[in-house]
Amino acid sequence: MIRHIFMCTIKDGVSDEVVEKKMAEMRAMKDSVPEIEAITVARNLGWAGPDNIVTMLVDLKDKVAFEALMASKAHTEVAAKADEAFRTDNFVLAQIEF
């Protein structure tokens, strides 16, 4: 299994309502991307590190599934609107095998 990890910083002044909407859009990718085994999207609690970070964890079977996610219409649409709530100059992305 592969876990795709995505972290982004919320722009200053963006309301909690907008952040929640964006996180819901990210979670909804599971409804149209069959390669997604599981998805978790949440805001950092701020216990260690900043509280203005949203993290998405996506579990996928393999690299082929990852590539299908990245090429999917759902992912493309979510990514195209990311700048409505998130800084796009400091995304953190990682893929790990577990």
Side-chain angles (χ1 to χ4, degrees):
M1 286 291 269
I2 303 299
R3 178 163 289 156
H4 172 57
I5 304 163
F6 170 79
M7 299 176 73
C8 56
T9 304
I10 301 165
K11 287 181 175 178
D12 291 339
V14 174
S15 70
D16 288 342
E17 179 179 275
V18 170
V19 173
E20 289 298 326
K21 178 182 175 217
K22 293 298 168 191
M23 291 192 308
E25 291 170 358
M26 294 162 81
R27 288 183 198 105
M29 289 191 296
K30 185 166 185 350
D31 298 335
S32 59
V33 182
E35 290 82 5
I36 295 176
E37 304 276 334
I39 189 167
T40 302
V41 181
R43 190 173 182 157
N44 187 17
L45 298 174
W47 297 344
D51 64 357
N52 66 335
I53 302 293
V54 168
T55 300
M56 177 176 67
L57 307 172
V58 183
D59 293 344
L60 305 145
K61 181 178 177 183
D62 52 25
K63 185 177 181 191
V64 172
F66 171 76
E67 290 169 348
L69 165 64
M70 299 307 283
S72 71
K73 180 179 178 185
H75 180 269
T76 302
E77 288 175 353
V78 166
K81 297 185 292 181
D83 67 344
E84 294 173 3
F86 307 118
R87 288 180 46 191
T88 58
D89 63 333
N90 68 344
F91 290 160
V92 175
L93 299 129
Q95 299 77 44
I96 60 172
E97 191 169 23
F98 69 103

